Amino acid sequence: MDPVDDTVWHEQTVAETLEVLASRPRGLTTEEAVERLAAVGPNELDVAPPTPAWKVLLRQFLSPLILILIGAGIITAVLQKWVDAVAILIVLVVNAVIGFWQEQRAAAEVRALAVLNTPRCRVLRDGATVLLSARELVPGDVVLLESGDRVPADLRLIESTALQLDESMLTGEVYAVAKDTAPVDPDAGVGDRTSMAFSGTFTTSGRGVGVVVATGDETEIGRINALVQGPSPMTPMQRLMHRFEARVGVFVGLVAALVFVGGIALGEAVQDVFLSAVALAVASIPEALPIVLTIAMSIGVARMARRKAVIRSLPAVETLGSTTVIGSDKTGTLTQNVLTVEEVWTSNGRTRFDAETDRPTGPHEDPLVIGVLRAGALTNEARPRHGGSEGFTGDSVDVAMAVAAVRHGGVGRDEIAAAPVAHMPYEPHHGYSQSVRRRADGRHVLFVKGAPDALIAMSTHLRSAHGDEPVDHQEVHAANADMGRRGLRVLATAERVLPPAWEPASPLPRPAGLTLLGLEGMDDPPRPGVAEAIASCQEAGIAVKMITGDHPVTAEAIADRLGIPRSGPAITGAEMRDLDDAMLAARLREAGVAARVAPQDKLRIVTVLQDHGEVVAVTGDGVNDAPALKAASIGVAMGASGTDVARESADMVLTDDDFVTIVSAIRQGRVTFAAIRKATFFLLSTALGVIIAVTTNVFAEHPLLFLPVQVLWVNIVTNGLQDVALAFEPAEGGELERPPRSRREGLLSRLLWIRLLITGAWIGVVVLLVYTWALDHGYAVDHARTLALTVVVTLNFFQAGNARAERRSLFALNPVGNPFLLLTAIGSVLLHWGAMTWGPSADVLGLTPLSAEEWSWCLGIGASVLVIVEIEKAITRRLRAPDSPVRTEGG
């Protein structure tokens, strides 16, 4: 058989389909199947192999900052400064181990799409029914479907008997889709191709026969699979750090070169100048920053896990904090993915059921309402599930009506389970189902449920509190239209007491002379707390967009109930095809809802929003969500109800499937970035101080200010401990009361850059003045260096406190709010004291002991940086107070 790639199968007739595929209703022969399998290959998806462990380990060393550290380590080893070299090696190894472990832990052991697409199925081969692995299917095979079967390949249906499929994994719609064999419009979307059964979907009821038209990567699920292969895009945090590390590298190289050339020009000894350049390079490199980043994000991972959010990629922790748009799937994410009777209309009016408590808001136990629910449950193919008082299996509509009737006392489980005297199941072309039940008095009652228009036409009377009255068609039509406008799926129920001489007939005749009981409105209700979570997102400056394959009316109704802002109608996939990217971005800003969209449409929405400067988080649970999850700045999948494909494509998985959890995750993301920002400010400000002091000292023609080992001692042992502790800094409060961080803003805010320059300059000047004063007063070089280095340690002690909050005073914070920082700050001073008083370490570091009076002077000088920052914070708060609320940089 020659492949026909451009055939639009859903518009073909059954006869045309079989002719194109060179098949027949009784299926292929074994010889034909073997031939075709050799030509087209097995029915499975191509999945990219996992990254080898050695590559995962290697890329832990490929960032510019790590490469700078490697270069510094090599230089110190060449100079035989073994303490320096070993310290740098430890930093490199620890960072690589943490990053490698996190990536390997999150790696998938099973390729979900391949597993999803390889069920066993019943196939007609050589005119007989055989059970085969779906992997062996080829185009032209004829497959048999029954309730509960998973569709093994894309099928063009050639027979259909009350066949309904759950296509929510592809379309996002909670309602089962009725299927038939009639051709449909060639431009119909996936959700409207009623003549097709797609690979991976489920048969909820009925039976069908279909001929295979596509296998493997040619199926709808195969096209989605192709979209999610390949590397994930860099997160905002990764791009930010990449730029930052590159700039640090350029800065280090330029300053070191300046010191080396300047020293030589001034006639300094080459070895001394070279050691100064190395010390300066080591001082410039924030050695602890890679570890701090990893630890801060790991802490965020742990905190989010306790809140039911599992992070699969460390940078995703921060990305949520900078998110500006959340594109959320509707079914199973914003809603419960369980069809529920939410409203009943009778001649008495409307009775609504609370989505959370399931209690009626209208008349309690109204007999008319009970009658509507009872009729819906007694012409019904749902069957009680073993165990559990309200569990049923079957079509989602039947299950919803049965559950509502049992919950509100309209009928018992045993009565539903009992076989009717006669029954005609729902058929799409009829638009109704009917059942005959025997009453306790021996009379037979016909119960009918179906499309309101059909039942209104069959009814002569309407049940009321005063008896049966002539039906007012206009009144019932108006009630039906009102419920439909609010996104409810509406079915009517009716009954008729049959005459005593009634005898069963097969098939049952078309009903007539019915008494209309009322209307049942069903919907997939919002998850509890979602409306409040969306309101919190809006307060935090994050726009929420609903992106769904569902009908626009339904999507708009849910959006309105949840408070998703929209100033225009929902945009549809069909409309998107006629819009360029700029026009689409404009429509998305006003619409708030995208409905009837295919996976490719969702992917385009994400990329267009990102191209227009948005940081996009996408939530979802189905296969149809996978491409968008993969392409988004951060993909958020549902863990309990979601598919494996969605989870494998996502950066974060919500184990409780609750949109509300995203709000907690966003808050934690902002807390995590704030911790990274605080640690970065601390490291860079202290490093800048040392750079200024060392550079100026070279041109002042003084002896070498610090040895490389002394700079490493401060950077790794004292500063490093406090910097890591800042990664544990808790939330300051108000994280969700400020908008997302601007993309134009770097790792530090403008305010922190100004503070960094002020404090860095102060630290550099103070350290240089202390060293110069000591030399001028006859102190030995080692003693002068010890004094200067101790001043650096004490300045850093107080600077760590300054870093705890961007605007709040240190004295307004809980002093033990970050006990780890308190312990490491005190510990850094004690470690330095121990290093200068213990002979072996003092010799290695070139330090001498200081007196108590000298220590007092050093601590006093160190406290000066705290005074400067507190004054600056007070001035900043006073200047900004009239403009409150403000856009706050950072989290």
Side-chain angles (χ1 to χ4, degrees):
M1 181 199 70
D2 295 327
V4 186
D5 296 332
D6 58 352
T7 303
V8 182
W9 297 109
H10 53 272
E11 74 162 342
Q12 302 290 310
T13 65
V14 171
E16 289 170 342
T17 302
L18 292 173
E19 182 181 354
V20 172
L21 293 169
S23 185
R24 59 197 73 85
R26 298 299 294 167
L28 302 174
T29 65
T30 300
E31 291 76 18
E32 289 172 327
V34 169
E35 233 175 77
R36 296 185 184 190
L37 186 63
V40 302
N43 178 30
E44 58 188 10
L45 302 177
D46 289 333
V47 180
T51 305
W54 67 269
K55 285 190 176 180
V56 176
L57 181 61
L58 180 63
R59 67 177 172 225
Q60 307 305 317
F61 296 94
L62 296 182
S63 79
L65 197 59
I66 295 298
L67 292 175
I68 293 170
L69 282 176
I70 292 173
I74 293 172
I75 292 173
T76 53
V78 169
L79 295 174
Q80 298 185 352
K81 303 296 182 179
W82 303 117
V83 174
D84 306 349
V86 170
I88 293 174
L89 178 63
I90 292 173
V91 172
L92 291 170
V93 170
V94 170
N95 182 72
V97 168
I98 294 174
F100 176 80
W101 174 79
Q102 179 67 27
E103 285 201 42
Q104 288 296 92
R105 190 168 67 96
E109 295 180 358
V110 179
R111 307 305 292 173
L113 275 166
V115 173
L116 182 63
N117 207 42
T118 54
R120 295 181 69 79
C121 54
R122 292 179 303 116
V123 184
L124 292 177
R125 288 272 178 92
D126 300 313
T129 303
V130 295
L131 189 65
L132 295 178
S133 166
R135 190 175 182 275
E136 301 176 44
L137 286 182
V138 295
D141 264 327
V142 174
V143 177
L144 309 179
L145 297 176
E146 287 186 354
S147 180
D149 287 347
R150 184 159 62 196
V151 180
D154 282 3
L155 311 177
R156 171 59 169 92
L157 294 171
I158 60 177
E159 293 181 23
S160 175
T161 305
L163 180 64
Q164 294 195 340
L165 297 181
D166 176 359
E167 295 183 338
S168 60
M169 62 178 294
L170 280 176
T171 66
E173 286 199 59
V174 66
Y175 302 113
V177 180
K179 296 290 184 176
D180 55 44
T181 60
V184 298
D185 188 275
D187 295 326
V190 172
D192 297 318
R193 296 175 190 173
T194 53
S195 60
M196 298 290 296
F198 295 108
S199 178
T201 61
F202 287 87
T203 308
T204 60
S205 62
R207 299 180 307 281
V209 179
V211 58
V212 175
V213 297
T215 60
D217 290 330
E218 299 304 315
T219 62
E220 284 297 319
I221 196 175
R223 294 188 180 96
I224 296 173
N225 173 65
L227 295 174
V228 301
Q229 299 304 309
S232 299
M234 291 180 69
T235 67
M237 184 64 183
Q238 288 172 319
R239 288 193 293 269
L240 192 63
M241 287 308 304
H242 203 73
R243 290 197 303 268
F244 174 77
E245 291 170 351
R247 289 169 182 170
V248 168
V250 171
F251 179 76
V252 169
L254 290 176
V255 175
L258 175 65
V259 168
F260 185 78
V261 172
I264 295 296
L266 291 171
E268 299 285 340
V270 174
Q271 184 172 351
D272 290 343
V273 174
F274 191 72
L275 284 175
S276 292
V278 170
L280 190 61
V282 171
S284 304
I285 300 169
E287 292 94 341
L289 189 55
I291 292 179
V292 169
L293 291 172
T294 304
I295 289 176
M297 288 187 284
S298 297
I299 293 168
V301 167
R303 289 173 177 170
M304 287 185 182
R306 290 195 292 270
R307 293 170 172 81
K308 310 297 184 182
V310 176
I311 299 296
R312 302 182 69 247
S313 170
L314 277 182
V317 179
E318 184 279 329
T319 306
L320 264 177
S322 58
T323 295
T324 60
V325 176
I326 297 177
S328 177
D329 181 44
K330 178 183 75 70
T331 305
T333 307
L334 299 175
T335 64
Q336 299 178 26
N337 197 19
V338 178
L339 202 60
T340 304
V341 174
E342 296 198 1
E343 186 174 307
V344 172
W345 178 90
T346 67
S347 59
N348 271 359
R350 187 171 69 184
T351 298
R352 300 187 66 183
F353 298 98
D354 185 271
E356 296 188 26
T357 66
D358 203 37
R359 296 185 61 83
T361 57
H364 185 55
E365 296 184 354
D366 183 341
L368 297 182
V369 173
I370 298 299
V372 173
L373 296 175
R374 177 177 172 81
L378 291 180
T379 175
N380 193 302
E381 294 184 67
R383 290 294 172 260
R385 184 181 288 118
H386 295 296
S389 60
E390 297 181 357
F392 289 88
T393 60
D395 174 72
S396 57
V397 171
D398 281 348
V399 168
M401 298 180 86
V403 167
V406 170
R407 284 182 178 174
H408 299 289
V411 70
R413 284 168 53 87
D414 292 342
E415 196 172 359
I416 294 177
V421 176
H423 176 69
M424 187 191 85
Y426 175 85
E427 292 281 2
H429 58 279
H430 288 148
Y432 64 88
S433 66
Q434 56 180 328
S435 296
V436 177
R437 300 276 180 163
R438 184 184 179 91
R439 289 196 320 204
D441 62 4
R443 297 290 297 272
H444 291 95
V445 180
L446 173 67
F447 294 101
V448 185
K449 81 169 190 298
D453 289 346
L455 265 68
I456 292 170
M458 300 173 187
S459 300
T460 58
H461 290 79
L462 174 67
R463 182 68 45 85
S464 75
H466 309 293
D468 294 347
E469 301 175 349
V471 62
D472 183 340
H473 288 197
Q474 187 174 355
E475 178 188 11
V476 183
H477 279 301
N480 176 41
D482 175 65
M483 295 170 77
R485 280 192 298 269
R486 287 182 281 112
L488 298 178
R489 178 169 183 174
V490 185
L491 292 182
T493 62
E495 69 176 30
R496 179 165 71 93
V497 179
L498 299 173
W502 177 85
E503 293 291 337
S506 182
L508 288 171
R510 180 179 175 82
L514 300 176
T515 297
L516 186 68
L517 301 175
L519 308 175
E520 290 188 58
M522 285 160 282
D523 198 10
D524 181 14
R527 298 177 69 93
V530 167
E532 293 79 5
I534 290 173
S536 296
C537 287
Q538 292 169 0
E539 186 178 1
I542 302 167
V544 178
K545 309 286 185 184
M546 180 190 294
I547 306 174
T548 177
D550 214 338
H551 193 280
V553 172
T554 304
E556 288 173 350
I558 291 292
D560 292 341
R561 290 175 64 179
L562 293 174
I564 296 177
R566 61 185 188 91
S567 57
I571 185 172
T572 64
E575 181 186 351
M576 285 177 57
R577 288 191 281 273
D578 297 326
L579 300 177
D580 61 26
D581 288 352
M583 295 170 66
L584 175 58
R587 277 288 282 121
L588 288 171
R589 280 193 292 271
E590 69 175 18
V593 176
R596 274 288 189 258
V597 293
Q600 294 83 352
D601 299 325
K602 292 188 178 187
L603 179 61
R604 185 183 172 206
I605 288 172
V606 170
T607 55
V608 164
L609 288 172
Q610 289 174 325
D611 289 344
H612 282 74
E614 305 291 354
V615 178
V616 183
V618 169
T619 72
D621 61 352
V623 174
N624 59 314
D625 300 311
L629 290 170
K630 180 83 171 181
S633 305
I634 177 169
V636 184
M638 303 298 111
S641 64
T643 61
D644 287 340
V645 180
R647 289 191 289 268
E648 292 299 322
S649 302
D651 303 290
M652 184 172 83
V653 178
L654 305 182
T655 60
D656 59 359
D657 285 14
D658 198 341
F659 185 88
V660 178
T661 304
I662 297 176
V663 178
S664 296
I666 288 172
R667 179 178 180 273
Q668 182 55 52
R670 294 185 175 187
V671 171
T672 298
F673 185 80
I676 293 171
R677 170 170 275 180
K678 292 167 185 177
T680 304
F681 163 76
F682 172 71
L683 265 185
L684 294 185
S685 61
T686 55
L688 178 61
V690 174
I691 291 169
I692 290 173
V694 171
T695 304
T696 308
N697 184 71
V698 169
F699 293 100
E701 302 185 45
H702 288 152
L704 189 63
L705 175 57
F706 295 132
L707 301 174
V709 69
Q710 292 173 335
V711 176
L712 275 171
W713 168 256
V714 172
N715 281 8
I716 296 174
V717 179
T718 59
N719 285 15
L721 290 175
Q722 294 172 86
D723 200 51
V724 169
L726 281 168
F728 291 83
E729 189 65 26
E732 293 182 44
E735 282 77 18
L736 294 179
E737 297 172 4
R738 56 189 72 142
R741 188 181 72 256
S742 170
R743 290 189 69 184
R744 294 188 298 272
E745 186 176 284
L747 194 57
L748 298 181
S749 66
R750 183 172 58 181
L751 175 63
L752 286 181
W753 275 116
I754 293 171
R755 186 177 300 159
L756 184 153
L757 294 174
I758 293 172
T759 55
W762 178 258
I763 291 170
V765 169
V766 167
V767 170
L768 189 62
L769 287 176
V770 168
Y771 183 61
T772 303
W773 177 88
L775 291 177
D776 290 345
H777 285 73
Y779 283 74
V781 172
D782 285 351
H783 196 167
R785 284 175 181 158
T786 303
L787 279 171
L789 198 65
T790 304
V791 168
V792 171
V793 170
T794 58
L795 283 164
N796 292 352
F797 174 88
F798 291 102
Q799 184 73 332
N802 290 331
R804 289 192 63 194
E806 188 167 346
R807 289 188 173 82
R808 295 179 66 190
S809 168
L810 174 62
F811 302 105
L813 302 178
N814 181 357
V816 293
N818 186 347
F820 188 31
L821 178 61
L822 183 63
L823 291 174
T824 53
I826 296 172
S828 67
V829 176
L830 294 177
L831 273 173
H832 186 67
W833 173 80
M836 71 172 61
T837 55
W838 187 48
S841 61
D843 292 340
V844 170
L845 296 174
L847 301 176
T848 59
L850 298 181
S851 66
E853 183 180 1
E854 289 172 326
W855 264 104
S856 299
W857 278 107
C858 290
L859 287 169
I861 294 170
S864 63
V865 75
L866 175 61
V867 175
I868 289 173
V869 172
E870 285 296 320
I871 292 173
E872 179 264 320
K873 285 183 178 180
I875 294 172
T876 301
R877 288 194 299 270
R878 183 178 294 275
L879 290 175
R880 297 181 69 96
D883 301 325
S884 183
V886 300
R887 181 182 181 93
T888 305
E889 305 87 359

